[in-house]
Amino acid sequence: MKAVRLEAPGKLALCEVERPEPAKGELLVRVEACGICGTDRHLFKGEFPSNPPVTLGHEFTGIIEKIGGSVSGFREGMRVTGDPNIACGRCPECQRGRVNLCRKLQAIGIHRDGGFAEYVCIPQQQAFELPDALPPLYGAFCEPLACCIHGVDLAEIRTGSSVIVLGGGVIGLLVVQLARLAGATNVVLVTRGEEKRRLAEKLGATASADPSTGDIVARLTALDGVLPGGADVVIECAGVAETIEQAASLARRGGTVVILGVMPQGVKVEIEPFDLLFREIKLMSSFINPFTHRRAADLIASGTIKVESLISRRIGFSEAVQAISNPARGGEIRALVIPGLG
Ligand SMILES: [Zn+2]
Ligand SMILES: [Zn+2]
């Protein structure tokens, strides 16, 4: 079968490999779609630890082709989405219920073969059923959505909350929708892309702002701004040093900042502890998807979270090698790799 493999940092190739066989407790899934994520580009550049040679792709969905021994609750032909993050269940963090912080965390598509392939093998506990009638590509959004749900949970958004979302990529556009669902009255998306701002407003943002024209903090938080005094919650979804530095200034007194965007290892930003202390700003980070994948699958299966407009391109494996080795195209939200497209 075909697979897009990271052979070493900086070396990505379309390979012909053996189709895997499901071991005991595993499912063989025929991949219908797998999203290209910023993490895949970081892995390509060696900015994140991984386990090459390995097939990348951690945002996949597909149909169960074959079932290994000792599997229950699944049948061949069933559509599933995969939670790529496998916790050991035994380390001190897992024993405290903090499975996303597992010391032996193994991720499908990072440490073991993932979904940029015709087939992927996954442990049954990582699979979650999706309806037959769901458009086949939608399941590829369950993984990023599950990460966003964790961030929104940590932010404790309530009815009537005000929220500023920094970054208009797939994460920002999913967080906008989740914030409205959680009851936020005002949700402002900040991004340079004009089309992304327009899309955010269609998906539920009550306002949007372009950070490249003038002082964004003053414009949003001034007395005559969109959110005078700042927002209850600011969620950083861009993974950019500049926006992380801005985030605290956009929060109101006693407000919460959640870092959801992924920055390359080693990057430092300036924060002012005096300001955080005197305004009692809660600064938190949100890492992956502890126990949120089923909720993500339900939100997508029910159509509660809209994903169709987040699909920018559908590409085959050979184009995928190009797409992962290069920065995302301007304005692109999500490119999906679809086996069979070449
Ligand atoms: Zn991802
Ligand atoms: Zn563990």
Side-chain angles (χ1 to χ4, degrees):
M1 67 166 190
K2 290 195 174 93
V4 175
R5 289 174 68 78
L6 182 69
E7 298 186 314
K11 195 162 179 253
L12 194 68
L14 176 54
C15 304
E16 191 64 38
V17 296
E18 286 273 303
R19 190 179 99 168
E21 274 298 309
K24 199 173 161 191
E26 288 189 344
L27 308 169
L28 177 70
V29 176
R30 176 170 57 77
V31 177
E32 291 182 298
C34 186
I36 297 179
C37 163
T39 299
D40 296 311
R41 297 191 172 96
H42 286 306
L43 289 165
F44 168 72
K45 288 196 261 177
E47 292 171 343
F48 275 6
S50 68
N51 213 6
V54 68
T55 301
L56 297 185
H58 57 273
E59 302 183 359
F60 54 88
T61 181
I63 302 285
I64 298 176
E65 177 87 8
K66 193 171 174 188
I67 290 181
S70 308
V71 167
S72 64
F74 295 97
R75 59 177 164 71
E76 286 167 14
M78 185 185 269
R79 176 169 290 127
V80 292
T81 153
D83 170 2
N85 300 303
I86 307 173
C88 78
R90 291 167 185 240
C91 73
E93 280 67 32
C94 283
Q95 287 301 307
R96 286 175 175 82
R98 306 291 300 274
V99 292
N100 56 324
L101 306 181
C102 172
R103 294 179 188 192
K104 294 180 177 167
L105 195 76
Q106 292 282 308
I108 300 166
I110 296 174
H111 306 104
R112 54 178 273 170
D113 289 342
F116 293 139
E118 290 172 80
Y119 296 89
V120 59
C121 258
I122 62 174
Q124 61 174 328
Q125 68 271 18
Q126 304 305 123
F128 296 85
E129 185 181 357
L130 289 171
D132 294 339
L134 188 74
L137 310 186
Y138 289 11
F141 290 89
C142 292
E143 195 275 341
L145 181 62
C147 296
C148 296
I149 292 173
H150 183 46
V152 168
D153 283 353
L154 289 175
E156 297 186 332
I157 295 169
R158 301 196 161 92
T159 45
S161 290
S162 54
V163 179
I164 294 175
V165 180
L166 300 171
V170 75
I171 298 296
L173 293 167
L174 291 171
V175 166
V176 161
Q177 297 184 64
L178 288 172
R180 289 307 303 273
L181 274 179
T185 321
N186 290 299
V187 178
V188 183
L189 182 102
V190 180
T191 185
R192 292 202 161 106
E194 195 195 335
E195 266 179 52
K196 290 176 175 172
R197 291 198 300 273
R198 241 184 283 143
L199 180 56
E201 292 188 18
K202 266 190 219 149
L203 293 172
T206 49
S208 64
D210 178 358
S212 55
T213 55
D215 181 346
I216 188 70
V217 175
R219 256 194 301 143
L220 292 181
T221 67
L223 278 181
D224 58 351
V226 188
L227 293 171
D232 296 312
V233 172
V234 179
I235 306 192
E236 203 285 333
C237 304
V240 172
E242 197 186 345
T243 49
I244 289 178
E245 287 174 345
Q246 275 167 356
S249 312
L250 290 165
R252 75 157 73 247
R253 289 167 165 265
T256 300
V257 173
V258 178
I259 297 173
L260 199 52
V262 180
M263 306 240 320
Q265 230 172 356
V267 174
K268 304 246 183 349
V269 299
E270 270 187 31
I271 55 163
E272 189 185 354
F274 179 90
D275 172 55
L276 297 184
L277 176 67
F278 277 74
R279 295 194 301 126
E280 206 173 71
I281 300 295
K282 199 193 271 181
L283 177 59
M284 337 172 62
S285 49
S286 172
F287 182 58
I288 62 175
N289 57 348
F291 304 114
T292 52
H293 207 92
R294 178 72 262 170
R295 287 162 67 196
D298 288 342
L299 285 165
I300 285 175
S302 61
T304 312
I305 291 288
K306 307 271 182 280
V307 298
E308 179 70 46
S309 55
L310 308 181
I311 304 172
S312 313
R313 291 201 271 168
R314 297 159 167 82
I315 60 178
F317 291 128
S318 44
E319 246 185 293
V321 173
Q322 283 304 310
I324 297 164
S325 321
N326 290 290
R329 288 183 180 178
E332 183 162 279
I333 300 169
R334 209 32 132 221
L336 296 184
V337 178
I338 298 169
L341 286 187

